[in-house]
Amino acid sequence: MWFLYVLSWIALLFQVSLMTLAVGAALYYLAELIEEYTVATKKVLNGMLVASCVIYMGLWIIEGFPLTIIGFGLLTNIVGFHLLTSFPFIELMSPSFLLTCFLVFVNHYYAFQYFSEVYHTFPEVLAYFTLCLWAVPFTFFISLSAADNVLPQHMSYGGGGENDVLSHYMTKGKKKRSALLTVFESCKESLMSLGRQKRF
């Protein structure tokens, strides 16, 4: 009897490790898709925000959720729409991003408070958390690296008055590129000097 009990724990550890690997692979794949198709991702995020607003209105009208949950949820979505205007260029220290992070925690607080006082089944609570609290912030989170592979285009940056991404790249990235060119030039010179020494 103890042998089967030990086997059940070994099988559980194996299943958890496979699930963790599958979730990690799925996140990696989603991040790759978001980096590859930023325009489509922006449209999907816009649709998710609109759907979340519709869900909040349905929860208020049909289910009678409190106005604090609905108000903070809609405010979070409005800030999400503002973040979407500069997508995929999301600055981590911008007021919009910081306000979104703060509002996500506020929404969780009010949701935990509401669901601890009013009984709902576990699937209903999970549906609320998944569709209203987790889907949009999670998609923004895994798309933070999407701007790394986007070609330069006309985009406004916060400081310096530069509105062109290409000129921003040319002026800000010049030090890195010149250091890289210096390394390549020194490698070229050392290889050329080795070639000259072998000829003589």
Side-chain angles (χ1 to χ4, degrees):
M1 189 175 295
W2 63 269
F3 185 68
L4 191 57
Y5 180 74
V6 170
L7 283 179
S8 69
W9 278 103
I10 292 172
L12 180 66
L13 290 174
F14 182 68
Q15 292 163 358
V16 167
S17 63
L18 284 181
M19 294 258 309
T20 304
L21 183 64
V23 167
L27 286 176
Y28 179 77
Y29 182 68
L30 282 175
E32 288 291 323
L33 281 177
I34 287 171
E35 287 179 3
E36 187 71 25
Y37 302 105
T38 55
V39 175
T41 302
K42 185 174 182 175
K43 291 178 182 176
V44 168
L45 271 168
N46 190 41
M48 289 171 69
L49 285 166
V50 169
S52 178
C53 290
V54 169
I55 290 170
Y56 274 118
M57 295 309 293
L59 289 172
W60 179 51
I61 295 169
I62 299 169
E63 295 291 330
F65 270 51
L67 282 176
T68 53
I69 289 179
I70 304 302
F72 277 110
L74 291 175
L75 180 63
T76 304
N77 287 344
I78 290 170
V79 177
F81 281 120
H82 187 269
L83 266 179
L84 208 56
T85 58
S86 63
F87 187 83
F89 300 101
I90 298 173
E91 294 288 329
L92 294 179
M93 298 308 290
S94 69
S96 297
F97 184 77
L98 294 175
L99 184 60
T100 301
C101 294
F102 174 73
L103 287 174
V104 166
F105 285 111
V106 170
N107 283 334
H108 277 79
Y109 170 75
Y110 281 115
F112 284 130
Q113 184 180 13
Y114 173 74
F115 286 116
S116 66
E117 295 171 358
V118 179
Y119 175 76
H120 287 277
T121 62
F122 180 71
E124 292 171 347
V125 174
L126 190 61
Y128 173 78
F129 274 88
T130 302
L131 298 176
C132 294
L133 296 184
W134 295 338
V136 173
F138 184 72
T139 308
F140 272 119
F141 178 73
I142 62 174
S143 65
L144 285 176
S145 65
D148 296 343
N149 295 327
V150 175
L151 292 174
Q153 57 184 335
H154 183 72
M155 190 71 196
S156 66
Y157 276 89
E162 296 172 345
N163 290 331
D164 188 14
V165 172
L166 185 58
S167 64
H168 176 77
Y169 172 76
M170 297 300 273
T171 58
K172 302 293 184 204
K174 200 174 262 189
K175 292 178 184 172
K176 292 180 184 175
R177 290 186 296 114
S178 65
L180 186 62
L181 285 175
T182 306
V183 170
F184 284 143
E185 287 174 4
S186 65
C187 289
K188 178 180 124 182
E189 289 174 7
S190 64
L191 288 175
M192 294 294 275
S193 65
L194 285 175
R196 288 184 197 135
Q197 289 175 358
K198 287 184 181 179
R199 285 187 208 158
F200 297 114

